[in-house]
Amino acid sequence: MAEDGATGFGDVSDRLAAEALIVDVDGFEGPLDLLLTLGRTQKVDLRKVSILQLAEQYLAFVEKAKQLRIELAADYLVMAAWLAFLKSKLLLPPDPSEEGPSGEELAAHLAFQLERLSAMRDVAAKLMARDQMGRDFFARGIPESVERVRRVTYTATLMDLMKAYARTRTKDEFRPYIMDRENLFTMEQALDRLRGLIGYAGEWTNLMTYLPEGWENDPVRRRSATAATFAASLELVKHGHLTIRQEDTFAPIQIKLKEVPRG
Amino acid sequence: MVDLPDDLEPVEESLFEAPPMGEQERMVEAILFASAEPVTVAELNARMPHGAEAAVALENLQKRYEGRGVELRKVGEAWAMRTASDLGFLMQKETVETRKLSRAAIETLAIVAYHQPVTRAEIEEIRGVSVSRGTVDQLLELEWIRFGRRRMTPGRPVTYVVTQDFLDHFGLESARDLPGLKELRAAGLLDSRPPPGMVGLGDGEDEADDSQDQDELFREEDTDE
Amino acid sequence: MVDLPDDLEPVEESLFEAPPMGEQERMVEAILFASAEPVTVAELNARMPHGAEAAVALENLQKRYEGRGVELRKVGEAWAMRTASDLGFLMQKETVETRKLSRAAIETLAIVAYHQPVTRAEIEEIRGVSVSRGTVDQLLELEWIRFGRRRMTPGRPVTYVVTQDFLDHFGLESARDLPGLKELRAAGLLDSRPPPGMVGLGDGEDEADDSQDQDELFREEDTDE
């Protein structure tokens, strides 16, 4: 504070006062802290502190800070407004028609808050004054490590067991419930296949030549593939994409792409 | 404490021969001596042979260590050996540089200890300023406070309570032994008193729930001791 | 400076009243307890009040701890307190870790439970994969399965059956209480049909032998069939 003492004498005291106030405001942890300090200056038991007087002290403090154009945090101003309100409530005779807490109730609560904060500070100091570990008393300096012997137990529930069993059994016995499609050639498959191939069939071709690869020899598969391909060819005839013919009973069935007029 | 031996009484007649009490005392002594951390009665029993009654052995041992350079101390639900406080002056060499706690942190710690379980909003209400995240974090990091149950009020805020480490550090047997606790309670300074005109905040059933919480915290110590 | 000569005189007559021996013992006790390393006599003397005789205090302390759970031990030129060597076993803490059985193990177990007595080959046939030696060993070790009678088929393979421990663990009175067993059987799922080309399973005299085994466990099912 002394390093810039070069400026005139007149305003030094003002400036020091201002600075003192700044320091003071900074030194308080919020309005409640400031109120507690102001309350203590009344030199009475906090329970008997005059809230009215306290409110006036606070408002005077804020007023002074404003004059000195010291920036006060919003909560200081909110508290000031609230205290002004409280002051008016305490001074005016109570309005019986008015709802809400009376001035006395509000004042009593503020007194309670101040007393509680003060009490917490006292016990905080008492707590810190206690013997502390690592300062006044000590724990074992060479703790012996406790060897952990890990024993693993396995567990399973009945449900796990049931599920596991069902899982193993699902692999075979349950399968027949699902359609076995391994040896089944569906009409949809045959249709897809035919649609892809008939474009090249400009002449009469034996239907059996359209059987998919690998389905021609195994009797089960050939039957399935033949049936599907035949049904598919009928479907394509129905839609006018193919013509189909059979020269004689049991003679090979032949198909041919139908000439469709363009457009 | 007193209940445990009763529970274990029939063990003496069991197939497992419990070691003689003198031997049990030695065991408790060895375990507590070797450990830097407090050890619970349950853990003592678990580590000692079947049929041992750690609670009884502890009592005997505590008498034996009375007035010695090392003491047997109860910390919450656990027991620990600590050097006698009057000999602290001999230990300069051991003294751990303790981190200086800020005034905010010290006050917050005290509020948690005396008002537990307490929410951040309540701490702020009591201190009249907002509590910075760092303050709470520091106390959590020191493991002096921990999260308690959530409060059953709107928003279900978390609460804070003090830990066994806290008790251990300040040489407290339980949170009930906090200095001045009875006086504060008698003066009504630990009541959660909502500001007049504010209804529904911390009222009614929530209030009941809270006091239950607190009761439980303090009762726990009562019954288990 | 002036004190120095006094130092050399008998301690009793010194200006500095040395603490009583009991007090010195306490000090040595506390220092040894709290020190992170063994402490030499010289260091003890340096840390204790003027006139103290650490060596004497140490000797007394050592006697005091004789036969206790903690011993005063000389480590090189220094002293330390350690737990009595016969109590080393207390420095172990058994932690029990519970794990879920592997899929292979639980499936194997289920098959043994439902199909007992069952051979490894049969388990593999049902599971459709080979059963590792480890899986079976684990179940044997857990004492959830045990060896049953040998099957009277070529190679006389051993069979597995579930144990009383298994029943206890799963809260079953007998294996026939396995939930859903009847339902599964009704659905034909327990029909242990030999795959084509495999004969002799559950045939002839083996059948008699097996059903005897099974009788004990599956009597109800047997009569149902």
Side-chain angles (χ1 to χ4, degrees):
Chain A
M1 314 260 142
E3 62 259 31
D4 59 339
T7 38
F9 281 100
D11 51 354
V12 168
S13 56
D14 281 355
R15 230 182 40 238
L16 282 179
E19 277 167 359
L21 199 55
I22 293 169
V23 169
D24 276 353
V25 172
D26 281 349
F28 292 114
E29 273 198 274
L32 202 59
D33 189 22
L34 170 59
L35 277 168
L36 184 59
T37 310
L38 294 174
R40 286 215 170 100
T41 61
Q42 291 185 25
K43 297 206 165 79
V44 287
D45 186 337
L46 271 173
R47 264 164 289 190
K48 291 168 194 141
V49 92
S50 163
I51 295 296
L52 191 58
Q53 203 186 325
L54 192 62
E56 278 164 354
Q57 280 177 280
Y58 186 91
L59 293 172
F61 179 94
V62 169
E63 198 47 47
K64 198 171 162 210
K66 272 190 191 156
Q67 278 169 15
L68 293 167
R69 275 181 255 155
I70 289 164
E71 275 196 38
L72 280 178
D75 49 349
Y76 281 84
L77 299 174
V78 169
M79 179 59 91
W82 187 81
L83 284 172
F85 164 75
L86 176 61
K87 198 177 132 185
S88 70
K89 276 211 146 199
L90 287 171
L91 290 173
L92 296 170
D95 178 352
S97 69
E98 201 187 70
E99 282 184 30
S102 69
E104 274 73 25
E105 282 170 329
L106 294 173
H109 187 72
L110 179 59
F112 166 74
Q113 281 182 291
L114 292 175
E115 197 194 342
R116 183 174 60 184
L117 179 59
S118 167
M120 289 324 296
R121 290 197 172 154
D122 289 349
V123 292
K126 274 186 200 157
L127 191 64
M128 297 318 281
R130 281 186 71 87
D131 289 336
Q132 292 184 38
M133 190 158 71
R135 190 186 77 185
D136 306 294
F137 63 91
F138 296 82
R140 179 72 176 130
I142 320 172
E144 281 164 59
S145 56
V146 178
E147 187 193 339
R148 281 185 191 271
V149 181
R150 209 174 52 180
R151 197 158 59 87
V152 179
T153 64
Y154 286 91
T155 184
T157 65
L158 206 49
M159 208 48 218
D160 295 335
L161 196 73
M162 294 300 299
K163 277 188 196 150
Y165 191 62
R167 205 158 56 221
T168 63
R169 305 314 318 217
T170 315
K171 281 176 197 151
D172 33 277
E173 273 88 347
F174 280 168
R175 231 196 42 210
Y177 295 114
I178 309 159
M179 201 57 144
D180 188 348
R181 291 177 175 267
E182 204 182 322
N183 291 322
L184 191 78
F185 198 68
T186 64
M187 194 177 90
E188 285 74 30
Q189 285 171 298
L191 265 176
D192 279 350
R193 190 175 160 76
L194 276 183
R195 279 203 188 100
L197 293 173
I198 50 173
Y200 307 101
E203 294 173 4
W204 288 107
T205 339
N206 189 340
L207 184 68
M208 294 308 279
T209 61
Y210 290 94
L211 291 197
E213 238 172 272
W215 290 71
E216 309 94 331
N217 297 321
D218 181 79
V220 176
R221 305 189 107 203
R222 195 179 61 218
R223 259 200 306 275
S224 174
T226 308
T229 308
F230 178 60
S233 66
L234 290 181
E235 190 68 21
L236 290 172
V237 169
K238 193 172 141 196
H239 283 101
H241 298 305
L242 281 184
T243 21
I244 189 164
R245 73 175 186 191
Q246 188 177 28
E247 292 186 328
D248 206 351
T249 318
F250 300 116
I253 297 168
Q254 292 175 308
I255 54 169
K256 186 182 157 207
L257 186 70
K258 191 169 185 177
E259 313 274 332
V260 188
R262 302 223 172 228
Chain B
M1 282 291 99
V2 201
D3 334 337
L4 268 170
D6 295 337
D7 274 345
L8 300 169
E9 210 99 69
V11 170
E12 255 137 346
E13 290 150 59
S14 95
L15 284 173
F16 302 92
E17 195 79 43
M21 190 42 72
E23 213 30 44
Q24 294 190 31
E25 256 183 67
R26 289 185 71 224
M27 293 176 178
V28 170
E29 187 178 24
I31 295 173
L32 290 186
F33 201 92
S35 171
E37 300 286 316
V39 186
T40 64
V41 176
E43 203 192 321
L44 283 171
N45 275 324
R47 279 166 68 179
M48 284 161 69
H50 196 91
E53 295 169 74
V56 180
L58 268 167
E59 235 170 89
N60 298 341
L61 199 64
Q62 193 174 24
K63 281 191 202 110
R64 190 183 278 273
Y65 271 94
E66 236 158 57
R68 306 287 319 144
V70 174
E71 289 170 354
L72 207 60
R73 286 205 197 167
K74 189 156 196 282
V75 181
E77 296 315 304
W79 292 79
M81 289 230 193
R82 300 289 178 247
T83 61
S85 300
D86 66 313
L87 299 177
F89 70 95
L90 292 171
M91 311 294 177
Q92 263 87 31
K93 215 187 149 197
E94 258 65 56
T95 308
V96 196
E97 253 326 294
T98 40
R99 225 190 315 173
K100 268 265 176 235
L101 282 184
S102 67
R103 177 175 146 178
I106 291 169
E107 278 182 28
T108 303
L109 178 65
I111 291 167
V112 173
Y114 286 82
H115 290 261
Q116 64 177 340
V118 66
T119 65
R120 178 191 289 250
E122 286 160 355
I123 297 168
E124 295 183 340
E125 219 264 310
I126 293 169
R127 296 199 62 231
V129 282
S130 61
V131 174
S132 82
R133 168 115 218 128
T135 303
V136 173
D137 284 353
Q138 190 185 14
L139 294 173
L140 284 169
E141 222 168 88
L142 279 168
E143 292 186 40
W144 281 354
I145 68 170
R146 63 172 176 83
F147 293 111
R149 286 189 210 170
R150 280 181 185 275
R151 184 64 53 81
M152 298 308 282
T153 46
R156 296 178 54 83
V158 293
T159 62
Y160 299 99
V161 294
V162 290
T163 62
Q164 180 179 282
D165 278 8
F166 166 83
L167 297 177
D168 196 13
H169 185 91
F170 290 99
L172 292 162
E173 193 172 314
S174 81
R176 284 175 316 143
D177 299 325
L178 284 165
L181 183 74
K182 281 189 195 107
E183 292 82 349
L184 285 181
R185 188 171 295 160
L189 291 170
L190 298 184
D191 303 346
S192 78
R193 211 185 285 180
M198 264 187 98
V199 268
L201 220 168
D203 263 5
E205 53 179 342
D206 302 333
E207 185 80 61
D209 185 64
D210 292 354
S211 61
Q212 198 180 33
D213 264 2
Q214 198 168 28
D215 260 7
E216 245 167 71
L217 267 167
F218 288 107
R219 201 183 317 127
E220 221 174 306
E221 260 88 44
D222 290 338
T223 50
D224 290 354
E225 266 160 35
Chain C
M1 286 293 122
V2 203
D3 321 339
L4 268 172
D6 293 331
D7 238 354
L8 305 169
E9 275 173 52
V11 173
E12 282 86 352
E13 290 156 58
S14 138
L15 281 173
F16 301 90
E17 194 82 44
M21 190 41 73
E23 227 11 59
Q24 294 190 33
E25 264 181 59
R26 289 184 73 226
M27 293 175 179
V28 171
E29 192 177 23
I31 294 173
L32 291 187
F33 176 84
S35 295
E37 266 159 35
V39 189
T40 62
V41 176
E43 205 180 330
L44 280 172
N45 273 325
R47 280 167 70 175
M48 284 161 70
H50 197 89
E53 293 171 86
V56 182
L58 263 171
E59 220 171 288
N60 295 343
L61 199 65
Q62 194 172 22
K63 278 193 203 108
R64 187 185 278 273
Y65 272 101
E66 229 156 63
R68 307 286 322 146
V70 173
E71 289 171 356
L72 218 57
R73 255 188 246 170
K74 199 158 187 219
V75 184
E77 286 310 298
W79 290 83
M81 279 179 151
R82 311 297 326 214
T83 54
S85 32
D86 66 315
L87 297 177
F89 71 95
L90 293 170
M91 297 302 122
Q92 289 187 344
K93 193 194 276 179
E94 196 176 74
T95 53
V96 178
E97 197 179 293
T98 309
R99 281 192 210 158
K100 279 237 169 224
L101 270 189
S102 69
R103 182 183 165 134
I106 187 87
E107 284 182 13
T108 304
L109 181 65
I111 291 165
V112 174
Y114 279 104
H115 293 263
Q116 62 177 350
V118 65
T119 65
R120 177 196 290 251
E122 287 159 359
I123 296 170
E124 293 184 340
E125 203 251 305
I126 294 167
R127 284 197 66 219
V129 284
S130 65
V131 174
S132 83
R133 167 114 219 129
T135 303
V136 173
D137 283 350
Q138 187 188 17
L139 294 173
L140 285 168
E141 220 168 274
L142 281 167
E143 293 185 33
W144 279 352
I145 67 170
R146 62 174 175 82
F147 293 112
R149 290 189 205 179
R150 283 183 183 276
R151 184 64 54 76
M152 299 307 283
T153 45
R156 295 179 52 82
V158 292
T159 62
Y160 299 100
V161 294
V162 293
T163 63
Q164 187 59 45
D165 277 8
F166 165 86
L167 297 176
D168 291 346
H169 183 93
F170 291 93
L172 297 165
E173 242 173 72
S174 74
R176 62 164 195 259
D177 289 338
L178 274 170
L181 183 58
K182 277 184 210 165
E183 292 88 327
L184 291 174
R185 190 179 282 278
L189 290 175
L190 280 184
D191 191 353
S192 177
R193 223 174 330 175
M198 205 177 155
V199 270
L201 208 168
D203 269 2
E205 52 176 340
D206 303 333
E207 181 80 71
D209 184 61
D210 290 351
S211 65
Q212 200 179 32
D213 260 357
Q214 239 173 359
D215 252 6
E216 289 159 30
L217 293 149
F218 287 97
R219 203 171 306 128
E220 206 179 282
E221 260 75 35
D222 283 341
T223 50
D224 282 351
E225 269 164 12

